[in-house]
Amino acid sequence: MAAILSILQHSSCPQNILFHFIASDTANHHHFRYTISRAFTALVFQIYPYDSKAVSGLISSSIRSALDCPLNYARNYLPNLLPHCLRRVVYLDSDLVLVDDMAKLTATPLGDSSVLAAPEYCNANFTSYFTPTFWSNPTLSLTFSGRNACYFNTGVMVIDLQRWRAGDYTTKIVEWMELQKRMRIYELGSLPPFLLVFAGNIAPVDHRWNQHGLGGDNYRGLCRDLHPGPTSLLHWSGKGKPWARIDANRPCPLDAFWAPYDLLQTSSSLES
């Protein structure tokens, strides 16, 4: 809800934004629709049920149990879940807020062949995202040969759905997940299959569109500062979530950027 509010408040044409929500097929979609419609009376949106059972058997345990939630893997199946008439979408995690116009991100050029665009972080230790088993395997270690592969965060992506479908990239991601079940080649949830398939072949996005890691690391979730440079999107990836820290009266300094968009928090403050 905070993400939605932030997008609408900073959009030059909020009436042109169509929201697509992916929800577990076991969720109460009627209540979900009622809650959104009540908070945003003019919002144009659709809800798409996601069969979590389809991916449950492919999920390997990761370093943080929250990363094993089937909904974290819904982005693998977006081209199958969304209408075929859609060509381009912006995928966003729910633990973020925008402080800039979404239209700028949506207009990101994908070039002649890129399937997706995202901010890349080439200073990150890319090898750490995969196990020694992966790097010591003569065949697997050649996966990134000829690719300038860099880490990117999958919480903010501009995706060409038609190119994805044409290249059958869902199948390619699933094949890596199936291999992971047979031999452990990574530790970090749904991210590594995306790196294996796309890293080195994505279109660039300015870092301002994913100031990620504000939730700290995956173990303790300690407070963090912003990365140097301008900010258009704040992303609380990591263990620490702003709504939980605010509710516990232990907010981090940057959680103050979340608070104005937290409708529950704002409502409670007004009522009290």
Side-chain angles (χ1 to χ4, degrees), residues 125-139:
N125 182 5
F126 189 80
T127 59
S128 67
Y129 290 94
F130 303 95
T131 64
T133 299
F134 176 87
W135 293 116
S136 63
N137 184 288
T139 302

Side-chain angles (χ1 to χ4, degrees), residues 50 101 153-154 210 254:
Y50 168 63
D101 193 341
N153 180 277
T154 52
N210 195 353
L254 290 178

Side-chain angles (χ1 to χ4, degrees), residues 188-233:
L188 194 62
S190 61
L191 168 65
F194 265 79
L195 297 180
L196 288 160
V197 173
F198 294 111
N201 292 321
I202 70 173
V205 175
D206 192 281
H207 289 179
R208 69 187 301 150
W209 287 104
N210 195 353
Q211 283 272 5
H212 68 292
L214 304 187
D217 60 23
N218 283 302
Y219 297 99
R220 293 187 293 171
L222 300 177
C223 298
R224 283 186 177 174
D225 294 327
L226 289 173
H227 305 289
T231 300
S232 293
L233 184 152

